[in-house]
Amino acid sequence: MTLTQLEIFTIVAELRSFTLAAMKLNISQSAVSHAIKSLEKDLNVMLFTREQNQTTLTEIGKTLLLHSLHMLNIQEAIKQEALASNGLQAGVLRIGSFGPGASLNLLPPLLAQFRQKYPLINIVVDEGDDETVAQWLQEKRIDIGVVVLPDERFDTFKVKDDQMVAILPQNHPLTNLPSISLKELCKYPFNLTQAGSGKLVLDLFHAQKLTPRIQFKTRQLLSTFALVARGDAVSIVAQLAIPDYIQNIVVKPLDPPVKRNIAFAVNDKSQLSPATKAFIQIAKKTYG
């Protein structure tokens, strides 16, 4: 068993395809297949099932994937520590963001500072919903994730206050109110955004034993804003996720207010790579 085999294994698992893994690694598909077969022979287990052009992890494959990701993270940390000791900074920093609120507001000033100070470090930012980012952290697919507090699963530090807000068409009857209750929103066609905080929005209604009139479900926030701007629906989004350039919508606080504390999270602050430590230092100086 080699680290190269483990790297190929994790990429096949991520992409669920031998062909796509070969393209990403810039090697032949036969080389990918040979590496997986050799690894399976060394471990005496089947890592994948292959049926009708579908590649899925076996149960033991899922377990071994977590260990493989951990080993590759250790390898990356060793490389970074060695390079840092010679006055160099190189490697990869992987960040998980839960959408526009983080990607458009929190990360840009930090990434600008980080790139200026550590130009040789490759930064990879992946977007997913809240639970996906948490899962990536647990599986060690990312080094740092943006989460909503409280979250006892990780080591965290708060960076920003946010709140959930109602968004309305410009001429909507509710725009005359200083704040909007969930009960009032239930009177009108509702758009449920499934980007990031969709589960939170539903939980808010369910906690008050209310059922919104969901007529639209969108995966992209831009689609949500467009629906509301046209007058087709009302919605609830995180305030940080609303770009400055969005027009023809009215933003109102909820009654009662729904606050969110945004934080950066890591699996274990005692086992951070040099690149991760450097990013956190910049984040604390910026938002601390």
Side-chain angles (χ1 to χ4, degrees):
M1 179 176 64
T2 67
L3 289 172
T4 298
Q5 289 174 329
L6 294 181
E7 181 184 10
I8 294 172
F9 166 50
T10 61
I11 292 175
V12 173
E14 176 190 357
L15 300 177
R16 299 182 182 182
S17 167
F18 282 60
T19 302
L20 294 178
M23 293 173 62
K24 182 172 182 176
L25 292 165
N26 197 28
I27 60 177
S28 67
Q29 184 172 337
S30 61
V32 171
S33 297
H34 178 73
I36 297 301
K37 286 180 181 178
S38 296
L39 184 58
E40 290 177 328
K41 183 177 180 181
D42 290 343
L43 298 174
N44 195 30
V45 296
M46 292 293 294
L47 297 171
F48 298 98
T49 58
R50 308 167 184 83
E51 295 179 357
Q52 297 180 347
N53 296 323
Q54 290 186 339
T55 301
T56 57
L57 283 166
T58 61
E59 288 304 313
I60 186 61
K62 293 176 183 177
T63 300
L64 297 182
L65 176 62
L66 299 180
H67 295 305
S68 299
L69 289 166
H70 182 57
M71 291 180 67
L72 292 172
N73 286 338
I74 293 174
Q75 179 197 34
E76 177 63 26
I78 291 171
K79 287 180 180 178
Q80 290 185 19
E81 291 284 4
L83 290 167
S85 69
N86 292 319
L88 299 173
Q89 295 290 343
V92 179
L93 177 66
R94 299 160 301 173
I95 301 173
S97 166
F98 57 47
S103 301
L104 298 178
N105 290 285
L106 290 180
L107 291 178
L110 302 180
L111 296 180
Q113 294 178 63
F114 190 88
R115 287 192 180 102
Q116 184 176 14
K117 194 170 184 179
Y118 306 103
L120 298 180
I121 294 179
N122 182 32
I123 302 172
V124 179
V125 179
D126 285 323
E127 281 194 358
D129 59 31
D130 300 24
E131 278 307 308
T132 298
V133 172
Q135 182 180 343
W136 289 341
L137 270 172
Q138 290 177 314
E139 294 177 351
K140 298 180 174 60
R141 293 178 183 269
I142 56 177
D143 302 301
I144 303 171
V146 184
V147 300
V148 177
L149 296 177
D151 197 323
E152 303 298 331
R153 295 170 292 183
F154 311 110
D155 289 332
T156 62
F157 66 96
K158 178 183 169 183
V159 291
K160 199 82 170 179
D161 289 320
D162 193 14
Q163 65 176 332
M164 303 303 293
V165 295
I167 55 173
L168 314 166
Q170 277 190 326
N171 298 319
H172 195 276
L174 295 181
T175 57
N176 296 321
L177 299 177
S179 57
I180 312 296
S181 70
L182 297 181
K183 186 175 181 179
E184 288 164 330
L185 289 175
C186 288
K187 299 175 184 177
Y188 302 94
F190 192 84
N191 175 84
L192 178 65
T193 174
Q194 296 176 302
S197 54
K199 182 179 182 299
L200 169 62
V201 171
L202 279 182
D203 288 344
L204 292 176
F205 284 102
H206 293 161
Q208 296 188 27
K209 298 182 179 179
L210 296 171
T211 302
R213 293 172 51 193
I214 299 174
Q215 295 191 6
F216 303 94
K217 292 182 180 180
T218 53
R219 294 192 176 276
Q220 300 295 328
L221 276 173
L222 288 179
S223 300
T224 297
F225 297 138
L227 278 168
V228 174
R230 290 200 305 266
D232 294 334
V234 298
S235 191
I236 295 176
V237 299
Q239 189 166 37
L240 277 177
I242 304 175
D244 294 335
Y245 60 80
I246 294 297
Q247 298 180 347
N248 300 323
I249 67 170
V250 175
V251 179
K252 292 285 183 176
L254 293 176
D255 180 21
V258 179
K259 304 292 185 181
R260 298 201 318 167
N261 295 321
I262 309 301
F264 284 119
V266 295
N267 266 303
D268 186 345
K269 62 183 179 183
S270 67
Q271 298 182 5
L272 303 180
S273 70
T276 305
K277 290 178 184 176
F279 182 86
I280 289 176
Q281 288 174 355
I282 291 173
K284 286 184 175 180
K285 187 176 295 186
T286 302
Y287 293 116

